[in-house]
Amino acid sequence: MPAETAVALSVNGSTHAVMMATPDDLEDFAVGLALNERIVRHPDEIEALEIEEAEGGYDCRLWLDASRAATYVAQRRLMTGPVGCGLCGAESLEKTRPDLPRLSDRLRVAPEAIGRAMEELGARQVLGARTRAVHAAAFASADGTIEVVREDVGRHNALDKVAGWLARSQRRAGGGFLVMTSRVSVELVQKAAVMGCELMAAVSAPTALALDSAEEAGLTLAVVARGADFELASHPHRIRGAEAES
């Protein structure tokens, strides 16, 4: 069975959020969550990161540089509770529909690349193969080669871990695409837009709100992916040949 424990994100000594998560790759998780929650705009604004095991879980302690710390206002989104919704505990209705950045339009991907990435992701889900109880998120280069896989009991946590890996590796999210083993929920679309990733491929379908958000941000969704077969739910022009078939 996979581990599931409380993981707190503290910013300059103040708790920002508590998530139920799989306690692996916590450095990636902390940096990715800070970026996707817009606590920081760039990883260079993080002066220090400490991971400390505490009674009942882990504390990921971020210390921001002086300029960012001066503008940071903790949202106090204490999200201890059920795994599966990165929006639980938002302080107001407006917080559930933040303004999303409009994505660039540079990426073009062959259909075969999505099939290649889905197949490779399945082979690289180490924790998933052992437990059958976790989600996986991955980042693939434009040709479908998987560059990183992160697993977690929460799909949004897995995506935050990928975001953190990209930032810590100084990789540009717009140079490839995301691959998910879950349905496409609205918080995944929001995180992808903040990351600057133009394409997300997933094994399941999007929710209506996720699709609306993808249309707004300019995100291409390739969904219900089964090997080389998938459906294009939004902005299909990034898939080579899609316009000719429409």
Side-chain angles (χ1 to χ4, degrees), residues 101-109 114 139-140 142 159 166 172-179 188-201 213-222 232-239:
R102 185 72 181 182
L103 291 166
S104 301
D105 191 13
R106 295 189 289 264
L107 185 70
R108 294 296 182 271
V109 172
I114 294 177
F139 180 78
L159 184 53
L166 287 168
R172 189 175 65 85
F177 60 95
L178 298 170
V179 189
L188 298 185
V189 170
Q190 292 172 354
K191 289 175 186 291
V194 172
M195 291 168 64
C197 202
E198 300 176 30
L199 168 63
M200 176 183 287
S213 297
E215 292 285 5
E216 174 190 344
L219 175 68
T220 298
L221 293 180
L232 288 171
S234 62
H235 299 281
H237 63 279
R238 292 191 180 91
I239 307 301

Side-chain angles (χ1 to χ4, degrees), residues 144-235:
T145 301
I146 294 290
E147 297 189 20
V148 65
V149 177
R150 292 291 182 261
E151 297 177 279
D152 199 280
V153 290
R155 58 184 176 268
H156 50 92
N157 298 338
L159 184 53
D160 283 331
K161 291 176 179 180
V162 169
W165 181 88
L166 287 168
R168 296 175 72 215
S169 303
Q170 299 183 334
R171 302 298 303 274
R172 189 175 65 85
F177 60 95
L178 298 170
V179 189
M180 301 292 305
T181 61
S182 66
R183 67 178 172 86
V184 181
S185 51
V186 65
E187 80 272 14
L188 298 185
V189 170
Q190 292 172 354
K191 289 175 186 291
V194 172
M195 291 168 64
C197 202
E198 300 176 30
L199 168 63
M200 176 183 287
V203 300
S204 191
T207 66
L209 183 56
L211 182 56
D212 288 345
S213 297
E215 292 285 5
E216 174 190 344
L219 175 68
T220 298
L221 293 180
V223 298
V224 197
R226 299 292 185 271
D229 297 325
F230 54 88
E231 301 175 11
L232 288 171
S234 62
H235 299 281

Side-chain angles (χ1 to χ4, degrees), residues 7 11 18 30 45 49 73 82 85 88 99 117 119 123-124 129 132 142 153 157 161 170-171 192 195 209 224 234:
V7 178
V11 180
V18 180
E45 294 177 332
L49 168 59
V73 177
C85 179
C88 296
D99 292 332
E119 181 178 359
R124 291 181 58 175
R132 304 296 180 186
V153 290
N157 298 338
K161 291 176 179 180
Q170 299 183 334
R171 302 298 303 274
M195 291 168 64
L209 183 56
V224 197
S234 62

